[in-house]
Amino acid sequence: MHTPDLFADERPDAGLREPLGAQAVVLRAYALPMLPGLWHTLQQLTAASPFRIMQTAGGRHMSAALSSCGSLGWVSDTFGYRYAARDPHTGQPWPAMPQELLQLGRQAAAEAGFAAFTPDTCLINRYLPGARMGLHQDRHERDFRQPIVSVSLGLPAVFQFGGLTRDAAVQRVPLFHGDVVVWGGVDRMRFHGVLPVKPGQHPLLGAQRINLTLRQAG
Ligand code: MD3
Ligand code: FE
C-alpha cells in the first residue's frame, strides 16, 4: 500500500484517464492548457467576490476559504448549507460564470460520458497549507443525475474517496495542478474529503491549493 507521503510527488502523465469508480474518472492535467489564463480569470472572480471562511451549521469554522461564481453560489452559516443567488459578503449577485469555465465543465463531463451538462455554479475553494475538508456528501443540488466536475490547481492534495456510507472504506488519490475529476451516476453520492494540504510553493499559485467545483445546482 502506498502512503500519501510516498506518492504525493509522483505526478502521473498528462492525458492519463484514471477510473475511480464506475462513473468517476480523473483526467490527468486536463486543464493545464488553459493556464495561466484560468488563473488570471480566477483572480478577477475572487477580486469581485473575495474568499471568506464560512461557518458550519454546527457553528464551527471551515478551514478552506470559499467563493463562487455563476447564477448561484454555495453558502453556509449557522442556519445551514444552501445555494443562494447573492454573495452574502458583498450583497451583490455572484460574478457571472466565465465562458472558459463553462466550456471546461461541459467538455470534461462529455469526456466522462455525461452529455448536456450545464453548470450554473462554480464553487471556488482555497486551501492554505494545513486546510482540509472532512468526509461529506454533496447533496444540496436539485438534480443528482447531473455530474460534478472538479479542477485542482496549485499545491497537490490527497483526495479521499469513500462509499455511500460514512464508514465505508476510503481510497486515497493524489490530485495535482491541472487535474480534472468528473463524478456522476452511481458515484454521485459517495462520501469524499481532502486531507490537510502540506506546506509548499507552487510556481504559479504560490502556497495554496485551489479547487473549482462545477455543478448544476438549480
Ligand atoms: C465525489 N471539494 O467543495 S471536489 C466540495 O477539493 C468538495 O475542494 C473538494 O468536496 C475539494 O464539496 C473536492 C470533488 C468532489 C465533488 C463532488 C463529489 C468529489 C465528489 C460528489 C460525489 C463524489
Ligand atoms: Fe464535496
Side-chain angles (χ1 to χ4, degrees):
M1 247 304 268
H2 270 88
T3 67
D5 268 316
L6 287 174
F7 64 37
D9 297 324
E10 295 168 17
R11 175 162 195 153
D13 292 340
L16 213 64
R17 292 175 70 101
E18 289 176 37
L20 296 183
Q23 291 183 283
V25 63
V26 187
L27 307 172
R28 293 292 182 186
Y30 189 80
L32 266 194
M34 297 177 59
L35 291 150
L38 180 56
W39 174 228
H40 180 74
T41 300
L42 280 175
Q43 287 170 290
Q44 292 180 324
L45 290 171
T46 55
S49 269
F51 285 116
R52 79 296 305 268
I53 300 275
M54 289 189 185
Q55 270 184 279
T56 65
R60 296 173 53 102
H61 291 267
M62 299 182 67
S63 69
L66 277 60
S67 184
S68 283
C69 66
S71 55
L72 291 170
W74 193 84
V75 301
S76 169
D77 55 27
T78 50
F79 297 109
Y81 308 119
R82 64 198 174 275
Y83 284 95
R86 281 176 186 267
D87 175 348
H89 181 81
T90 63
Q92 299 297 310
W94 299 98
M97 171 91 67
Q99 210 44 234
E100 57 190 314
L101 268 184
L102 184 67
Q103 283 305 322
L104 173 64
R106 278 180 177 286
Q107 279 176 20
E111 195 74 42
F114 298 97
F117 175 50
T118 307
D120 56 14
T121 179
C122 181
L123 174 62
I124 309 170
N125 291 324
R126 183 192 66 192
Y127 298 77
L128 300 181
R132 59 186 284 278
M133 193 172 285
L135 277 185
H136 66 278
Q137 293 171 300
D138 288 17
R139 52 181 173 200
H140 296 97
E141 300 74 30
R142 200 180 295 278
D143 183 358
F144 296 147
R145 293 169 305 183
Q146 293 297 326
I148 293 179
V149 173
S150 119
V151 184
S152 290
L153 299 172
L155 291 178
V158 176
F159 180 74
Q160 293 184 291
F161 197 38
L164 294 176
T165 57
R166 186 177 289 282
D167 58 355
V170 166
Q171 274 176 264
R172 292 189 161 85
V173 187
L175 293 178
F176 299 89
H177 182 67
D179 289 349
V180 173
V181 194
V182 185
W183 338 74
V186 297
D187 294 316
R188 175 66 178 73
M189 298 313 287
R190 286 172 69 169
F191 278 84
H192 58 278
V194 179
L195 293 182
V197 170
K198 292 192 183 149
Q201 279 291 331
H202 184 271
L204 185 61
L205 273 78
Q208 60 182 337
R209 170 179 190 257
I210 291 184
N211 182 269
L212 311 177
T213 310
L214 290 147
R215 302 184 172 100
Q216 185 181 314

